[in-house]
Amino acid sequence: MTEDPDLLDDLLRLAAAGGTEVDLAADPAAARARYPSAPLILIGSDQAAGCLRAGMPRRPGVLVVGLNPIDDDVWDFAESLGAEHLALLPEAEPWVVDRITAAIQPPAAGRAIAVIGGRGGAGASTLAGGLAVTAVRRGLRTLLLDADPLGGGLDLVLGWERLSGLRWPALAEAGGHIDPPALLGALPQRGDLVLLSFARDGLTAVPSDVMAGALAAAHARRDVTVMDLPRHLDDAATLALQAADQAVLVVPAELRAAAAAARVAAVARLHCPDLSVVVRGPAPGRLKPREVARSLGLPLAGALRPEESLRNGLERGDAPTQDGRGPLAELCGRLIARLLVAKSEAVA
């Protein structure tokens, strides 16, 4: 959207480099019909004030672009419009080409699995970490997302507490206005595993719009997203559960744990119908996994017996299932395979 012929020439050239053509609108009135649905909006600095006066709706994927130097007022206009970035040419040309390319690529349509503890200390975080590590071992680009503000932190589960990168508080300060490639590139990561977790202090809840931005980035850029959710769902965790293709409830093989998990299951299945249960031993009262699943009215996804080597490894900072051996690794392999089969059936 621009009437500046020099800026238009540059943007047409950058769009061609990004492999696409553009729809040109001279002003907000001409752009309004296409504004909500276009994959990317490039507003020329000459039209930023007009867009603000016209009350153009706030939406993701809006960039204000201008030729350097620009008037100082343009920065304020861009912020008021909710633009993700103000890109100044020619310095920002490579970034603009990358952003155009990302906008026209078909989304990866990644799959998401949520893990919820039936009661405190059920082992949901360990299972979530194991699922993420297992997915990466299978060659899948994976995001491990910590949505439990009162948990111990998934960075500790992976042994990543000293790894640099953004956590939820920094992302919340940015208001979630970070494009997917930039967001994922700024998080702690090793290889194809990326982590979004809480810091040790500060933020105790994730704003819903920030969670929505993180989920959109994951859906577009990750093959698999594993989410560790709290038992008491806040707005952000509810949003995450609704985005999950499958959810797993982890329940210790104890009578009181099963009773507590029944309340969690009743709420969780409202937001994710594909809910199953993993029963974790030991069973002091000899309660069998199928009995726990039957009492909850949920399909049994698997059972876990105690692993001394797993407990010791977590204390040393070893990520769960990193060696690919043991009951947890076997269960995670089955759950990831089930997730991928569901994806293949959906594509077919």
Side-chain angles (χ1 to χ4, degrees):
M1 188 192 317
T2 183
E3 287 187 315
D4 183 333
D6 294 329
L7 178 60
L8 177 59
D9 287 344
D10 283 346
L11 292 178
L12 291 175
R13 174 173 52 82
L14 297 179
T20 189
E21 297 180 351
V22 299
D23 287 333
L24 175 63
D27 53 39
R32 189 173 294 277
R34 288 167 286 174
Y35 200 88
S37 60
L40 185 66
I41 303 288
L42 303 178
I43 299 175
S45 56
D46 61 303
Q47 295 298 318
C51 285
L52 197 58
R53 288 194 299 269
M56 301 302 278
R58 295 173 72 97
R59 49 151 286 176
V62 174
L63 312 178
V64 174
V65 186
L67 298 174
N68 202 7
I70 60 170
D71 294 336
D72 291 341
D73 289 346
V74 177
W75 293 92
D76 295 330
F77 296 149
E79 183 177 1
S80 299
L81 286 169
E84 293 179 0
H85 291 279
L86 173 54
L88 300 183
L89 308 181
E91 293 86 353
E93 286 188 359
W95 183 87
V96 172
V97 172
D98 289 344
R99 191 65 179 82
I100 291 172
T101 302
I104 64 173
Q105 287 177 342
R111 304 293 285 182
I113 182 169
V115 184
I116 311 172
R119 68 157 168 79
S125 295
T126 301
L127 177 58
L131 286 168
V133 172
T134 299
V136 171
R137 283 208 329 270
R138 295 195 171 206
L140 301 168
R141 299 169 302 164
T142 304
L143 171 66
L144 178 56
L145 189 151
D146 187 355
D148 187 355
L150 300 181
L154 289 181
D155 54 349
L156 288 173
V157 173
L158 297 179
W160 287 17
E161 60 270 22
R162 290 187 175 90
L163 212 58
S164 62
L166 295 184
R167 267 68 172 177
W168 279 119
L171 187 58
E173 287 179 7
H177 299 304
I178 303 178
D179 62 276
L183 168 61
L184 295 172
L187 299 177
Q189 54 194 282
R190 284 178 178 163
D192 281 334
L193 179 56
V194 178
L195 172 68
L196 179 50
S197 67
F198 287 90
R200 291 288 167 265
D201 52 16
L203 186 73
T204 57
V206 179
S208 296
D209 60 332
V210 177
M211 175 62 77
L215 293 172
H219 183 74
R221 294 282 170 167
R222 297 283 95 182
D223 300 311
V224 170
T225 300
V226 181
M227 302 178 289
D228 183 16
L229 306 187
R231 290 176 294 132
H232 302 290
L233 299 174
D234 57 16
D235 290 343
T238 298
L239 201 61
L241 184 56
Q242 291 170 345
D245 300 286
Q246 299 174 12
V248 177
L249 183 67
V250 184
V251 183
E254 303 167 9
L255 184 60
R256 289 184 62 194
R263 292 190 286 271
V264 179
V267 175
R269 73 174 74 195
L270 295 175
H271 304 289
C272 182
D274 192 346
L275 178 67
S276 57
V277 62
V278 166
V279 179
R280 182 176 64 80
R286 299 184 182 276
L287 195 60
K288 298 184 183 304
R290 293 196 179 279
E291 293 172 341
V292 175
R294 190 180 306 116
S295 72
L296 296 173
L298 296 175
L300 180 64
L304 286 171
R305 62 178 184 270
E307 289 185 73
E308 186 69 24
S309 61
L310 175 63
R311 288 197 296 267
N312 294 337
L314 289 172
E315 290 298 318
R316 293 192 303 266
D318 297 337
T321 76
Q322 67 179 17
D323 61 1
R325 297 193 299 270
L328 178 61
E330 294 174 6
L331 173 63
C332 289
R334 293 198 301 273
L335 291 175
I336 292 297
R338 177 173 175 256
L339 189 68
L340 297 180
V341 166
K343 177 179 179 179
S344 298
E345 291 175 349
V347 171

